[in-house]
Amino acid sequence: MVLAGFSSGILAQDTMSQSLTGRQGDPTRGRAIIADRQLGLCLLCHQGPFPEERLQGDLAPDLRGVGTRYSEAQLRLRIVDPARSNPATIMPSYGRSRGSWRVAPAARGRPLLTDEQIEDVIAFLATLRD
């Protein structure tokens, strides 16, 4: 998925309103992706309600309550292309395949997560309301 292909109607302000897959993601799969240090990589920088996971990061905001702070459309843009919301971010783009230069050679030229995986992560994050 490459953002350049999206019409301006899909990207508005700090949101990406339309699902990447046309359907709701699965929060159980999303939680597993976030907790997986080889796939989601989220806990390298973030911490959250994952008591079974040791050594959670502290470089980025805590994920607790993220579903209260942001809408699904805002979460989607922050995962697909976080630099759109914060140009100084160190968070990688999980949905963009071009312009990724701070990634492992094996990950260059391809998105870090599939559209379905991104929607699963969004579905889980939206449940984090405390």
Side-chain angles (χ1 to χ4, degrees):
M1 203 252 347
V2 178
L3 282 178
F6 283 98
S7 70
S8 61
I10 293 173
L11 292 174
Q13 282 295 19
D14 69 339
T15 68
M16 180 181 269
S17 60
Q18 293 182 0
S19 166
L20 303 174
T21 62
R23 60 188 176 279
Q24 186 76 23
D26 180 285
T28 302
R29 285 193 312 250
R31 185 187 194 286
I33 291 166
I34 289 172
D36 186 327
R37 292 179 192 278
Q38 301 299 311
L39 181 59
L41 309 170
C42 305
L43 297 183
L44 296 176
C45 295
H46 295 276
Q47 57 186 286
F50 307 94
E52 72 284 5
E53 295 297 328
R54 298 178 342 121
L55 304 174
Q56 296 181 34
D58 61 3
L59 294 173
D62 193 314
L63 296 177
R64 289 175 189 90
V66 73
T68 302
R69 294 189 303 271
Y70 298 107
S71 69
E72 288 188 19
Q74 290 170 314
L75 290 168
R76 186 173 295 109
L77 184 59
R78 280 163 173 76
I79 293 168
V80 170
D81 190 9
R84 288 229 185 207
S85 299
N86 177 4
T89 189
I90 62 170
M91 182 171 162
S93 168
Y94 282 86
R96 199 181 65 204
S97 60
R98 286 191 270 174
S100 298
W101 55 274
R102 287 187 285 188
V103 296
R108 287 192 188 128
R110 66 178 181 84
L112 295 174
L113 295 176
T114 67
D115 290 351
E116 181 179 75
Q117 290 169 323
I118 290 170
E119 290 301 323
D120 291 342
V121 167
I122 293 164
F124 173 71
L125 292 175
T127 70
L128 298 180
R129 306 197 72 66
D130 301 334

